[in-house]
Amino acid sequence: MSNPFLKQVFNKDKTFRPKRKFEPGTQRFELHKRAQASLNAGLDLRLAVQLPPGEDLHDWVAVHVVDFFNRINLVYGTVSDGCTEQTCPVMSGGPKYEYRWQDEREFRKPTALPAPKYMDLLMDWIEVQINNEDLFPTNVGTPFPKNFLQVVKKILSRLFRVFVHVYIHHFDRIAQMGSEAHVNTCYKHFYYFVKEFSLIDTKELEPLKEMTARMCH
């Protein structure tokens, strides 16, 4: 967060949602602090994402999903004023990739939507998931549901689409703001994490394959 522009954006709170926080004193809060300390110490991101010895995989994944939700919100917040129904009438990642929205409520069939509308629905949907105690229990000792990793895979593959849209359609804006290094670090952290625990299908990662090969290998 050393970039003054990002501080300014963050202070204006252009992110969509209030940040989900971990309660101090809980095991998850300690894990969150440990994950942040690794990042702040400049540890190799490939190592930083690995499950610490003796820790529960579900707890580690839950902490990161919430953190990625907050960070990617911020990344999209930096370009959201340039992402309108006029500039981005379809949620896409270049001419080859179009993302349609589907949920259990209003959009039961995959529906083409302008990017900002898609982002809004996406962030609302994720927020509901991570605030659902049955899915993301906050009390240590309360077991995670059997379908937890399945839900996480859906959340993370949809969050990846935010990176796709931002990199392919709004990268000039990020570069213009001097936010490139911050966004790239955020992306690398996300990419190494999903690869470490096989949380996104390889075909979903295709749109940024070339960029990822340059940046992460």
Side-chain angles (χ1 to χ4, degrees):
M1 292 296 295
S2 58
N3 182 317
F5 180 80
L6 283 169
K7 277 204 176 111
Q8 176 197 336
V9 169
F10 199 67
N11 291 342
K12 278 194 210 153
D13 204 19
K14 277 179 68 176
T15 53
F16 286 135
R17 311 285 175 263
K19 290 183 63 148
R20 171 83 196 267
K21 294 192 170 62
F22 299 98
E23 289 302 312
T26 63
Q27 185 181 352
R28 227 152 288 141
F29 180 73
E30 294 307 315
L31 271 181
H32 176 67
K33 280 202 319 197
R34 186 189 301 191
Q36 291 307 307
S38 297
L39 291 177
N40 294 340
L43 188 67
D44 180 336
L45 289 169
R46 281 189 185 87
L47 298 175
V49 298
Q50 292 173 2
L51 180 67
E55 294 299 349
D56 177 72
L57 172 66
H58 288 64
D59 275 320
W60 187 241
V61 169
V63 162
H64 282 80
V65 169
V66 173
D67 190 41
F68 289 136
F69 170 66
N70 289 333
R71 285 168 188 266
I72 293 168
N73 246 324
L74 181 59
V75 166
Y76 182 65
T78 63
V79 301
S80 59
D81 57 349
C83 182
T84 66
E85 299 201 356
Q86 288 70 43
T87 62
C88 304
V90 175
M91 173 60 182
S92 61
K96 279 173 68 181
Y97 301 96
E98 182 184 319
Y99 299 120
R100 299 185 169 211
W101 181 256
Q102 184 176 18
D103 57 31
E104 299 77 33
R105 293 168 36 219
E106 194 183 340
F107 298 97
R108 291 179 179 275
K109 290 183 177 163
T111 307
L113 295 171
K117 174 73 171 162
Y118 185 103
M119 298 290 188
D120 221 3
L121 288 167
L122 171 61
M123 299 306 176
D124 275 342
W125 175 78
I126 295 175
E127 194 174 27
V128 168
Q129 311 302 310
I130 62 179
N131 286 313
N132 179 345
E133 285 286 333
D134 294 334
L135 277 177
F136 282 74
T138 47
N139 294 329
V140 175
T142 304
F144 284 86
K146 288 194 168 59
N147 68 334
F148 175 69
L149 288 177
Q150 200 179 325
V151 172
V152 160
K153 285 178 181 179
K154 195 168 181 181
I155 290 173
L156 293 174
S157 67
R158 285 180 164 185
L159 275 175
F160 179 75
R161 296 170 181 184
V162 180
F163 279 121
V164 173
H165 184 73
V166 166
Y167 270 119
I168 291 174
H169 295 280
H170 300 290
F171 193 73
D172 53 345
R173 181 98 172 106
I174 287 169
Q176 184 189 344
M177 293 172 170
S179 310
E180 196 175 333
H182 176 86
V183 174
N184 287 349
T185 301
C186 184
Y187 175 71
K188 284 199 275 193
H189 186 203
F190 180 91
Y191 176 78
Y192 288 136
F193 188 82
V194 300
K195 290 299 280 183
E196 175 75 14
F197 301 106
S198 305
L199 294 172
I200 296 185
D201 291 342
T202 305
K203 69 176 190 307
E204 280 278 336
L205 298 169
E206 278 288 315
L208 296 180
K209 189 176 172 185
E210 287 174 22
M211 184 195 82
T212 306
R214 288 195 306 274
M215 202 189 286
C216 301
H217 295 295

mmCIF file of all heavy atoms in Angstrom, residues 10 12-22 66-67 69-71 73-74 120 123-124 126-128 130-131:
data_model
loop_
_atom_site.group_PDB
_atom_site.id
_atom_site.type_symbol
_atom_site.label_atom_id
_atom_site.label_comp_id
_atom_site.label_asym_id
_atom_site.label_seq_id
_atom_site.Cartn_x
_atom_site.Cartn_y
_atom_site.Cartn_z
ATOM 1 N N PHE A 10 -7.968 4.108 -1.609
ATOM 2 C CA PHE A 10 -8.414 3.298 -0.478
ATOM 3 C C PHE A 10 -9.114 4.168 0.551
ATOM 4 O O PHE A 10 -10.138 3.791 1.097
ATOM 5 C CB PHE A 10 -7.189 2.617 0.133
ATOM 6 C CG PHE A 10 -7.548 1.446 0.977
ATOM 7 C CD1 PHE A 10 -8.089 0.322 0.395
ATOM 8 C CD2 PHE A 10 -7.368 1.457 2.337
ATOM 9 C CE1 PHE A 10 -8.435 -0.778 1.162
ATOM 10 C CE2 PHE A 10 -7.710 0.370 3.113
ATOM 11 C CZ PHE A 10 -8.239 -0.749 2.516
ATOM 12 N N LYS A 12 -10.655 6.942 0.020
ATOM 13 C CA LYS A 12 -11.966 7.345 -0.494
ATOM 14 C C LYS A 12 -12.931 6.166 -0.414
ATOM 15 O O LYS A 12 -14.112 6.311 -0.555
ATOM 16 C CB LYS A 12 -11.840 7.730 -1.976
ATOM 17 C CG LYS A 12 -11.349 9.133 -2.213
ATOM 18 C CD LYS A 12 -11.621 9.456 -3.666
ATOM 19 C CE LYS A 12 -10.623 10.427 -4.219
ATOM 20 N NZ LYS A 12 -10.454 10.292 -5.648
ATOM 21 N N ASP A 13 -12.331 4.981 -0.220
ATOM 22 C CA ASP A 13 -13.103 3.753 -0.133
ATOM 23 C C ASP A 13 -13.941 3.535 -1.376
ATOM 24 O O ASP A 13 -15.156 3.407 -1.332
ATOM 25 C CB ASP A 13 -13.976 3.731 1.133
ATOM 26 C CG ASP A 13 -14.285 2.290 1.526
ATOM 27 O OD1 ASP A 13 -13.544 1.415 1.056
ATOM 28 O OD2 ASP A 13 -15.237 2.056 2.265
ATOM 29 N N LYS A 14 -13.253 3.517 -2.514
ATOM 30 C CA LYS A 14 -13.950 3.261 -3.767
ATOM 31 C C LYS A 14 -14.223 1.772 -3.963
ATOM 32 O O LYS A 14 -14.765 1.370 -4.959
ATOM 33 C CB LYS A 14 -13.120 3.782 -4.943
ATOM 34 C CG LYS A 14 -13.318 5.260 -5.175
ATOM 35 C CD LYS A 14 -12.467 5.738 -6.308
ATOM 36 C CE LYS A 14 -12.909 5.171 -7.628
ATOM 37 N NZ LYS A 14 -12.129 5.733 -8.743
ATOM 38 N N THR A 15 -13.777 0.965 -2.993
ATOM 39 C CA THR A 15 -14.119 -0.455 -3.099
ATOM 40 C C THR A 15 -15.627 -0.562 -2.942
ATOM 41 O O THR A 15 -16.264 0.278 -2.325
ATOM 42 C CB THR A 15 -13.423 -1.278 -2.000
ATOM 43 O OG1 THR A 15 -13.716 -0.683 -0.753
ATOM 44 C CG2 THR A 15 -11.933 -1.327 -2.199
ATOM 45 N N PHE A 16 -16.191 -1.622 -3.491
ATOM 46 C CA PHE A 16 -17.644 -1.790 -3.456
ATOM 47 C C PHE A 16 -18.186 -2.007 -2.056
ATOM 48 O O PHE A 16 -19.260 -1.603 -1.723
ATOM 49 C CB PHE A 16 -18.026 -3.041 -4.248
ATOM 50 C CG PHE A 16 -17.932 -2.874 -5.714
ATOM 51 C CD1 PHE A 16 -17.339 -3.859 -6.478
ATOM 52 C CD2 PHE A 16 -18.438 -1.757 -6.338
ATOM 53 C CE1 PHE A 16 -17.260 -3.735 -7.850
ATOM 54 C CE2 PHE A 16 -18.349 -1.623 -7.701
ATOM 55 C CZ PHE A 16 -17.769 -2.613 -8.461
ATOM 56 N N ARG A 17 -17.486 -2.767 -1.277
ATOM 57 C CA ARG A 17 -18.065 -3.308 -0.056
ATOM 58 C C ARG A 17 -17.226 -2.981 1.163
ATOM 59 O O ARG A 17 -16.035 -2.782 1.054
ATOM 60 C CB ARG A 17 -18.136 -4.839 -0.156
ATOM 61 C CG ARG A 17 -18.748 -5.353 -1.431
ATOM 62 C CD ARG A 17 -20.266 -5.169 -1.419
ATOM 63 N NE ARG A 17 -20.840 -5.558 -2.679
ATOM 64 C CZ ARG A 17 -21.131 -4.715 -3.650
ATOM 65 N NH1 ARG A 17 -20.884 -3.447 -3.509
ATOM 66 N NH2 ARG A 17 -21.687 -5.131 -4.762
ATOM 67 N N PRO A 18 -17.849 -2.992 2.334
ATOM 68 C CA PRO A 18 -17.033 -2.895 3.545
ATOM 69 C C PRO A 18 -16.139 -4.126 3.614
ATOM 70 O O PRO A 18 -16.540 -5.210 3.193
ATOM 71 C CB PRO A 18 -18.067 -2.936 4.676
ATOM 72 C CG PRO A 18 -19.311 -3.475 4.065
ATOM 73 C CD PRO A 18 -19.266 -3.151 2.614
ATOM 74 N N LYS A 19 -14.927 -3.938 4.112
ATOM 75 C CA LYS A 19 -14.003 -5.070 4.179
ATOM 76 C C LYS A 19 -14.485 -6.070 5.216
ATOM 77 O O LYS A 19 -14.875 -5.699 6.307
ATOM 78 C CB LYS A 19 -12.607 -4.580 4.555
ATOM 79 C CG LYS A 19 -11.965 -3.791 3.430
ATOM 80 C CD LYS A 19 -10.568 -3.378 3.794
ATOM 81 C CE LYS A 19 -9.681 -4.579 3.987
ATOM 82 N NZ LYS A 19 -8.288 -4.349 3.624
ATOM 83 N N ARG A 20 -14.447 -7.330 4.840
ATOM 84 C CA ARG A 20 -14.737 -8.384 5.816
ATOM 85 C C ARG A 20 -13.492 -8.537 6.679
ATOM 86 O O ARG A 20 -12.394 -8.655 6.172
ATOM 87 C CB ARG A 20 -15.041 -9.684 5.065
ATOM 88 C CG ARG A 20 -15.147 -10.926 5.942
ATOM 89 C CD ARG A 20 -16.528 -11.039 6.563
ATOM 90 N NE ARG A 20 -16.520 -11.981 7.664
ATOM 91 C CZ ARG A 20 -16.821 -13.275 7.563
ATOM 92 N NH1 ARG A 20 -17.127 -13.786 6.409
ATOM 93 N NH2 ARG A 20 -16.820 -14.049 8.626
ATOM 94 N N LYS A 21 -13.653 -8.514 7.981
ATOM 95 C CA LYS A 21 -12.483 -8.592 8.853
ATOM 96 C C LYS A 21 -12.547 -9.864 9.701
ATOM 97 O O LYS A 21 -13.587 -10.466 9.856
ATOM 98 C CB LYS A 21 -12.437 -7.368 9.770
ATOM 99 C CG LYS A 21 -12.199 -6.065 9.023
ATOM 100 C CD LYS A 21 -11.864 -4.940 9.974
ATOM 101 C CE LYS A 21 -11.398 -3.700 9.241
ATOM 102 N NZ LYS A 21 -12.402 -3.140 8.345
ATOM 103 N N PHE A 22 -11.385 -10.225 10.248
ATOM 104 C CA PHE A 22 -11.320 -11.380 11.144
ATOM 105 C C PHE A 22 -11.306 -10.866 12.572
ATOM 106 O O PHE A 22 -10.670 -9.878 12.878
ATOM 107 C CB PHE A 22 -10.054 -12.193 10.871
ATOM 108 C CG PHE A 22 -10.009 -12.718 9.470
ATOM 109 C CD1 PHE A 22 -9.284 -12.068 8.491
ATOM 110 C CD2 PHE A 22 -10.735 -13.834 9.116
ATOM 111 C CE1 PHE A 22 -9.259 -12.522 7.189
ATOM 112 C CE2 PHE A 22 -10.716 -14.307 7.816
ATOM 113 C CZ PHE A 22 -9.981 -13.653 6.856
ATOM 114 N N VAL A 66 -11.156 -14.485 1.645
ATOM 115 C CA VAL A 66 -11.630 -13.188 2.135
ATOM 116 C C VAL A 66 -10.631 -12.084 1.771
ATOM 117 O O VAL A 66 -11.010 -10.997 1.315
ATOM 118 C CB VAL A 66 -11.873 -13.231 3.672
ATOM 119 C CG1 VAL A 66 -12.199 -11.837 4.204
ATOM 120 C CG2 VAL A 66 -12.999 -14.209 4.000
ATOM 121 N N ASP A 67 -9.344 -12.381 1.913
ATOM 122 C CA ASP A 67 -8.307 -11.398 1.593
ATOM 123 C C ASP A 67 -8.329 -11.054 0.096
ATOM 124 O O ASP A 67 -8.260 -9.884 -0.282
ATOM 125 C CB ASP A 67 -6.937 -11.958 1.996
ATOM 126 C CG ASP A 67 -5.849 -10.897 1.923
ATOM 127 O OD1 ASP A 67 -6.120 -9.752 2.340
ATOM 128 O OD2 ASP A 67 -4.752 -11.205 1.450
ATOM 129 N N PHE A 69 -10.845 -11.324 -1.928
ATOM 130 C CA PHE A 69 -12.082 -10.576 -2.186
ATOM 131 C C PHE A 69 -11.851 -9.089 -1.898
ATOM 132 O O PHE A 69 -12.179 -8.217 -2.716
ATOM 133 C CB PHE A 69 -13.210 -11.128 -1.309
ATOM 134 C CG PHE A 69 -14.471 -10.299 -1.316
ATOM 135 C CD1 PHE A 69 -15.233 -10.166 -2.465
ATOM 136 C CD2 PHE A 69 -14.909 -9.656 -0.162
ATOM 137 C CE1 PHE A 69 -16.407 -9.408 -2.471
ATOM 138 C CE2 PHE A 69 -16.070 -8.901 -0.155
ATOM 139 C CZ PHE A 69 -16.821 -8.777 -1.312
ATOM 140 N N ASN A 70 -11.242 -8.798 -0.755
ATOM 141 C CA ASN A 70 -10.976 -7.397 -0.394
ATOM 142 C C ASN A 70 -9.998 -6.732 -1.377
ATOM 143 O O ASN A 70 -10.211 -5.603 -1.821
ATOM 144 C CB ASN A 70 -10.396 -7.312 1.025
ATOM 145 C CG ASN A 70 -11.430 -7.637 2.095
ATOM 146 O OD1 ASN A 70 -12.619 -7.442 1.896
ATOM 147 N ND2 ASN A 70 -10.982 -8.152 3.226
ATOM 148 N N ARG A 71 -8.931 -7.442 -1.726
ATOM 149 C CA ARG A 71 -7.896 -6.856 -2.588
ATOM 150 C C ARG A 71 -8.404 -6.639 -4.019
ATOM 151 O O ARG A 71 -8.109 -5.630 -4.654
ATOM 152 C CB ARG A 71 -6.667 -7.771 -2.626
ATOM 153 C CG ARG A 71 -5.832 -7.719 -1.372
ATOM 154 C CD ARG A 71 -4.809 -8.846 -1.359
ATOM 155 N NE ARG A 71 -4.133 -8.897 -0.078
ATOM 156 C CZ ARG A 71 -2.986 -8.293 0.181
ATOM 157 N NH1 ARG A 71 -2.386 -7.581 -0.743
ATOM 158 N NH2 ARG A 71 -2.429 -8.381 1.364
ATOM 159 N N ASN A 73 -11.471 -6.296 -4.972
ATOM 160 C CA ASN A 73 -12.408 -5.175 -4.903
ATOM 161 C C ASN A 73 -11.673 -3.858 -5.097
ATOM 162 O O ASN A 73 -12.121 -2.965 -5.816
ATOM 163 C CB ASN A 73 -13.037 -5.145 -3.498
ATOM 164 C CG ASN A 73 -14.500 -5.436 -3.530
ATOM 165 O OD1 ASN A 73 -15.184 -5.032 -4.464
ATOM 166 N ND2 ASN A 73 -14.983 -6.127 -2.537
ATOM 167 N N LEU A 74 -10.545 -3.748 -4.411
ATOM 168 C CA LEU A 74 -9.748 -2.520 -4.478
ATOM 169 C C LEU A 74 -9.171 -2.324 -5.878
ATOM 170 O O LEU A 74 -9.194 -1.220 -6.418
ATOM 171 C CB LEU A 74 -8.625 -2.577 -3.435
ATOM 172 C CG LEU A 74 -7.694 -1.366 -3.351
ATOM 173 C CD1 LEU A 74 -8.471 -0.105 -3.050
ATOM 174 C CD2 LEU A 74 -6.626 -1.592 -2.294
ATOM 175 N N ASP A 120 -20.938 -5.889 -10.065
ATOM 176 C CA ASP A 120 -21.788 -5.597 -8.917
ATOM 177 C C ASP A 120 -22.443 -6.867 -8.391
ATOM 178 O O ASP A 120 -22.434 -7.150 -7.188
ATOM 179 C CB ASP A 120 -22.857 -4.586 -9.342
ATOM 180 C CG ASP A 120 -23.085 -3.538 -8.275
ATOM 181 O OD1 ASP A 120 -22.378 -3.573 -7.256
ATOM 182 O OD2 ASP A 120 -23.990 -2.701 -8.449
ATOM 183 N N MET A 123 -19.736 -9.224 -6.816
ATOM 184 C CA MET A 123 -19.279 -8.853 -5.473
ATOM 185 C C MET A 123 -20.381 -9.069 -4.435
ATOM 186 O O MET A 123 -20.101 -9.510 -3.316
ATOM 187 C CB MET A 123 -18.782 -7.404 -5.446
ATOM 188 C CG MET A 123 -17.591 -7.145 -6.369
ATOM 189 S SD MET A 123 -16.180 -8.265 -6.074
ATOM 190 C CE MET A 123 -15.058 -7.745 -7.375
ATOM 191 N N ASP A 124 -21.625 -8.786 -4.811
ATOM 192 C CA ASP A 124 -22.757 -9.067 -3.912
ATOM 193 C C ASP A 124 -22.819 -10.550 -3.587
ATOM 194 O O ASP A 124 -22.989 -10.956 -2.440
ATOM 195 C CB ASP A 124 -24.092 -8.669 -4.575
ATOM 196 C CG ASP A 124 -24.424 -7.197 -4.374
ATOM 197 O OD1 ASP A 124 -23.831 -6.578 -3.461
ATOM 198 O OD2 ASP A 124 -25.262 -6.679 -5.111
ATOM 199 N N ILE A 126 -20.469 -12.884 -3.805
ATOM 200 C CA ILE A 126 -19.350 -13.371 -2.980
ATOM 201 C C ILE A 126 -19.534 -12.934 -1.537
ATOM 202 O O ILE A 126 -19.290 -13.701 -0.604
ATOM 203 C CB ILE A 126 -17.985 -12.891 -3.522
ATOM 204 C CG1 ILE A 126 -17.727 -13.504 -4.896
ATOM 205 C CG2 ILE A 126 -16.856 -13.263 -2.551
ATOM 206 C CD1 ILE A 126 -16.463 -13.016 -5.572
ATOM 207 N N GLU A 127 -19.976 -11.696 -1.368
ATOM 208 C CA GLU A 127 -20.156 -11.198 -0.005
ATOM 209 C C GLU A 127 -21.153 -12.062 0.769
ATOM 210 O O GLU A 127 -20.944 -12.373 1.937
ATOM 211 C CB GLU A 127 -20.636 -9.743 -0.045
ATOM 212 C CG GLU A 127 -20.505 -9.080 1.301
ATOM 213 C CD GLU A 127 -20.828 -7.604 1.244
ATOM 214 O OE1 GLU A 127 -21.608 -7.197 0.373
ATOM 215 O OE2 GLU A 127 -20.304 -6.876 2.081
ATOM 216 N N VAL A 128 -22.218 -12.467 0.105
ATOM 217 C CA VAL A 128 -23.216 -13.345 0.742
ATOM 218 C C VAL A 128 -22.556 -14.671 1.144
ATOM 219 O O VAL A 128 -22.777 -15.177 2.249
ATOM 220 C CB VAL A 128 -24.421 -13.590 -0.204
ATOM 221 C CG1 VAL A 128 -25.297 -14.715 0.316
ATOM 222 C CG2 VAL A 128 -25.237 -12.308 -0.359
ATOM 223 N N ILE A 130 -19.284 -15.364 1.777
ATOM 224 C CA ILE A 130 -18.277 -15.306 2.852
ATOM 225 C C ILE A 130 -18.870 -14.850 4.187
ATOM 226 O O ILE A 130 -18.259 -15.043 5.230
ATOM 227 C CB ILE A 130 -17.031 -14.455 2.475
ATOM 228 C CG1 ILE A 130 -17.385 -13.007 2.212
ATOM 229 C CG2 ILE A 130 -16.295 -15.064 1.303
ATOM 230 C CD1 ILE A 130 -16.170 -12.145 1.865
ATOM 231 N N ASN A 131 -20.070 -14.271 4.144
ATOM 232 C CA ASN A 131 -20.735 -13.898 5.398
ATOM 233 C C ASN A 131 -21.705 -14.971 5.884
ATOM 234 O O ASN A 131 -22.362 -14.801 6.904
ATOM 235 C CB ASN A 131 -21.477 -12.564 5.236
ATOM 236 C CG ASN A 131 -20.509 -11.396 5.209
ATOM 237 O OD1 ASN A 131 -19.617 -11.300 6.047
ATOM 238 N ND2 ASN A 131 -20.649 -10.514 4.237
#
